[in-house]
Amino acid sequence: MTKPGKAVCVSQAVVLQRMLPQDANPAGNVHGGVILKCIDTAGSIAAMRHCRTAVVTASFDRMDFLKPAFIGEVVIFKASVNYAGRTSMEIGVRVEAEDLITGEIRHTGSAYLTYVALDQDRHPTPVPELILETAEDCRRNREARARREVRLAEKHRERASQNEATAC
């Protein structure tokens, strides 16, 4: 059963989090694990807005930490659906840090996550088609499809390797 399509802009999520001393790592920056948790939260909001069902994080495909975020800053997590398959979605999350005193905003990281939509019995369920409206939507979708092909090929290679009886 295919659900009606939804535009990328309908499900976008922006989550802001002020980083406090308990969010620090030993170097005094915001701990990467805190950033990852917030990314997953923002990503799940965008995924649930798209499919309007419960979702589960299937994979954290990639995380690029570009610059540190500092204690006292507001970290902004911008999540969008890049690709919608049959029951899964790739969500891209852009992470920015804002210095509240100067107003400077820095791109500090980007991540790609895959979520699977779940029905009431917690089984995978179809998601709406993704309607691409802008050139940016199309670019992100094209890149997400390429990442999906790489993920599937890697999963196939891993399974084949696990099934080889003579492998070390």
Side-chain angles (χ1 to χ4, degrees), residues 19-119:
M19 295 301 162
L20 301 173
Q22 67 265 22
D23 300 318
N25 65 16
N29 303 328
V30 177
H31 191 285
V34 171
I35 299 291
L36 294 175
K37 183 178 186 295
C38 293
I39 286 170
D40 194 26
T41 298
S44 69
I45 292 169
M48 290 180 77
R49 280 182 170 170
H50 184 73
C51 63
R52 294 296 179 188
T53 68
V55 299
V56 64
T57 308
S59 70
F60 215 111
D61 189 49
R62 189 167 126 200
M63 175 64 209
D64 295 320
F65 290 100
L66 305 173
K67 296 178 182 174
F70 301 108
I71 301 307
E73 292 183 322
V74 169
V75 180
I76 306 155
F77 302 88
K78 298 177 178 180
S80 294
V81 180
N82 292 335
Y83 169 83
R86 193 177 69 75
T87 62
S88 67
M89 299 154 281
E90 182 197 271
I91 311 297
V93 182
R94 178 182 171 95
V95 183
E96 299 175 341
E98 178 183 356
D99 181 316
L100 292 172
I101 304 300
T102 68
E104 175 200 8
I105 296 176
R106 299 178 318 284
H107 179 201
T108 60
S110 294
Y112 301 101
L113 301 88
T114 300
Y115 294 88
V116 174
L118 302 176
D119 64 18

